[in-house]
Amino acid sequence: MIIGFVIWMLVGCGFIGYGIYLMLSKREAPVGFWANEKEPPQVTDVKGYNRALGKLFGGYGIAFILLGLPMLGGQNSAGVVFTVLGAAWASIALAIIYSTVILKKYQKR
């Protein structure tokens, strides 16, 4: 189970690293959120939008790592259900926060 948690933690650190990259990025174009998005949305403040996405991904990475902690309970731990369901709900929350908060705030009207 340690190996599984280490892999889980590396994925979470990937999200955190991507969030840090977005927050520190000096990109002149907004970053797309959805997979296979043809064009990222037209936003009013590119730096603010990218920074908000960076915070969102960083927070998701931290939550993802914390949700993996029950994996350390052993092979037949019932807490793994919390890990799986928590990751699913966190992913849904990620999309909802992006759509209702970040996109609503920064998208050109």
Side-chain angles (χ1 to χ4, degrees):
M1 292 311 287
I2 298 292
I3 294 172
F5 177 71
V6 168
I7 293 170
W8 188 273
M9 197 169 80
L10 288 174
V11 172
C13 287
F15 282 112
I16 293 170
Y18 185 58
I20 291 170
Y21 166 75
L22 288 177
M23 285 194 296
L24 300 176
S25 177
K26 294 181 179 12
R27 289 178 53 126
E28 297 297 324
V31 176
F33 178 79
W34 302 107
N36 297 325
E37 190 173 32
K38 300 274 188 230
E39 289 184 27
Q42 299 295 319
V43 295
T44 55
D45 177 16
V46 174
K47 280 188 170 185
Y49 171 80
N50 288 344
R51 188 171 293 119
L53 270 183
K55 290 178 184 178
L56 182 66
F57 278 113
Y60 178 75
I62 291 169
F64 194 81
I65 291 171
L66 293 176
L67 285 168
L69 289 176
M71 294 173 63
L72 295 174
Q75 186 172 1
N76 296 325
S77 173
V80 174
V81 172
F82 177 73
T83 298
V84 174
L85 293 177
W89 284 106
S91 299
I92 292 168
L94 181 81
I96 290 172
I97 291 169
Y98 171 75
S99 298
T100 60
V101 177
I102 295 175
L103 199 56
K104 187 176 181 180
K105 181 177 179 181
Y106 291 103
Q107 189 174 28
K108 285 184 182 175
R109 296 187 174 102

